[in-house]
């Protein structure tokens, strides 16, 4: 699915200012951005719910194979979960056999609640029900607006696991301001700010090369001898004290660090508690990009 020069203007405000989206087939694409960045507008344009002011959308599939889950899906509270999904099936894909309803409810972990009225469902259950209702027609492209907002940690976990299982079977585009969610389930990411795409590509490309490669070393005090020994090594760019028992060792030669770091610690007789490669955090990169 791609867009080219996509624009959307509300009066004098340009909510999308020329967006070129590239979403590979089968990927789980996370659209992230601060409030007002244009995420909802972009998803609504992709879904055909709002007309763009300019540019083009190539869905890569028939529009009837696109399913949309709004951020707050509303269901008639007197219907059961099974009835909600069956209604979605009848409306969007009547050719799909009725037995598929039970299958998607099972995938969403709702078999036990299938015949209960949805008025009594928790938010997490409602969000999973929404996903079940969007996938029952076997869509090729799924557009999910903030699927994990307003969920408690357990509900969020269930929804993320469900989304992760969709990857490969369908192309998924989800919008969120929760960067941890993107880091968990998305393989692609697009950073939208003020109607512009600041970065898009694989999550690895975004993270690798942004933060300087570094190791976090935790050991028992005193840390001075450890700091001194590390600072003397040619591959060490900087050693910073980040806690009573913690050092961050930055390097410009990660391969040398991999072979030498533990040796230096052993030679100096350090009491090592743990050694970790510092992982670049999407939050840092996001703040750097949108600053
Ligand atoms: P949030 O995370 O807060 O939902 P968002 O990234 O989804 O934000 P949008 O809802 O797409 O952002 O809004 C983008 C910009 O367009 C905002 O400045 C918003 O005020 C404006 N906007 C959105 N919908 C309309 C509308 N119907 N009429 C006028 N302005 C709008």
């Amino acid at each position: 699915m791609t867009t080219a020069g996509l624009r959307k203007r509300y009066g004098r405000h340009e909510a999308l200012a020329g967006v070129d989206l590239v979403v590979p087939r089968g990927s789980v694409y996370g659209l992230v951005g601060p409030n007002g960045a244009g995420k909802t507008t972009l998803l609504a344009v992709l879904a055909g719910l709002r007309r763009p002011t300019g540019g083009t959308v190539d869905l890569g599939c028939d529009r009837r194979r696109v399913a949309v889950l709004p951020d707050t899906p509303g269901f008639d509270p007197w219907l059961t979960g099974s009835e909600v999904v069956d209604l979605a099936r009848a409306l969007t894909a009547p050719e799909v056999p009725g037995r598929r309803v039970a299958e998607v409810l099972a995938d969403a972990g709702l078999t036990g609640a299938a015949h209960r009225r949805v008025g009594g469902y928790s938010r997490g259950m409602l969000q999973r029900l929404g996903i079940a209702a969007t996938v029952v027609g076997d869509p090729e492209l799924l557009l999910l607006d903030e699927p994990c907002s307003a969920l408690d940690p357990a509900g969020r976990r269930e929804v993320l696991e469900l989304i992760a299982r969709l990857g490969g079977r369908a192309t998924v585009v989800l919008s969120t301001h929760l960067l941890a969610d993107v880091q968990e389930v998305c393989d692609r990411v697009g950073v939208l700010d003020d109607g512009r795409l600041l970065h898009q590509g694989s999550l690895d490309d975004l993270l690798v090369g942004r933060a300087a490669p570094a190791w976090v070393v935790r050991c028992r005090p005193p840390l001075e001898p450890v700091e001194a020994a590390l600072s003397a090594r040619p591959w060490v760019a900087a050693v910073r004290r980040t806690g009573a028992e913690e050092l961050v060792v930055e390097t410009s030669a990660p391969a040398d660090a991999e072979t030498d770091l533990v040796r230096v610690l052993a030679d100096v007789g350090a009491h090592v508690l743990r050694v970790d490669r510092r992982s670049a955090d999407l939050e840092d990169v996001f703040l750097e990009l949108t600053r």
Side-chain angles (χ1 to χ4, degrees), residues 217-228 241 243-247 265 268-272:
V217 176
R218 285 178 62 84
C219 50
R220 296 203 190 283
L223 296 188
E224 289 76 13
V226 184
E227 270 180 296
R241 188 81 77 93
E245 298 187 336
E246 191 179 275
L247 296 171
L265 296 175
V268 78
H271 288 246
V272 178

Side-chain angles (χ1 to χ4, degrees), residues 10 13 15 33-42 50 145-146 177 192:
Y10 298 112
H13 180 76
N35 286 121
K39 304 181 295 293
T40 298
T41 300
L42 180 52
R50 288 184 212 174
D145 195 1
E146 296 277 358
H177 59 274
L192 194 69

Side-chain angles (χ1 to χ4, degrees), residues 24-61:
R25 194 175 292 274
S27 61
V28 180
Y29 187 108
L31 197 59
V32 299
N35 286 121
K39 304 181 295 293
T40 298
T41 300
L42 180 52
L43 284 185
V45 169
L46 296 177
L49 301 171
R50 288 184 212 174
R51 207 186 289 272
T53 319
T56 54
V57 176
D58 178 1
L59 292 171
C61 66

Side-chain angles (χ1 to χ4, degrees), residues 123-135:
R123 280 186 165 181
M125 291 167 78
L126 287 172
Q127 205 61 264
R128 284 184 282 136
L129 178 67
I131 294 177
T134 50
V135 299

Side-chain angles (χ1 to χ4, degrees), residues 260-277:
D260 200 37
L261 173 61
V262 174
R263 189 178 8 241
V264 176
L265 296 175
D267 287 351
V268 78
H271 288 246
V272 178
L273 300 172
R274 63 186 295 173
V275 177
D276 288 307
R277 176 81 193 251

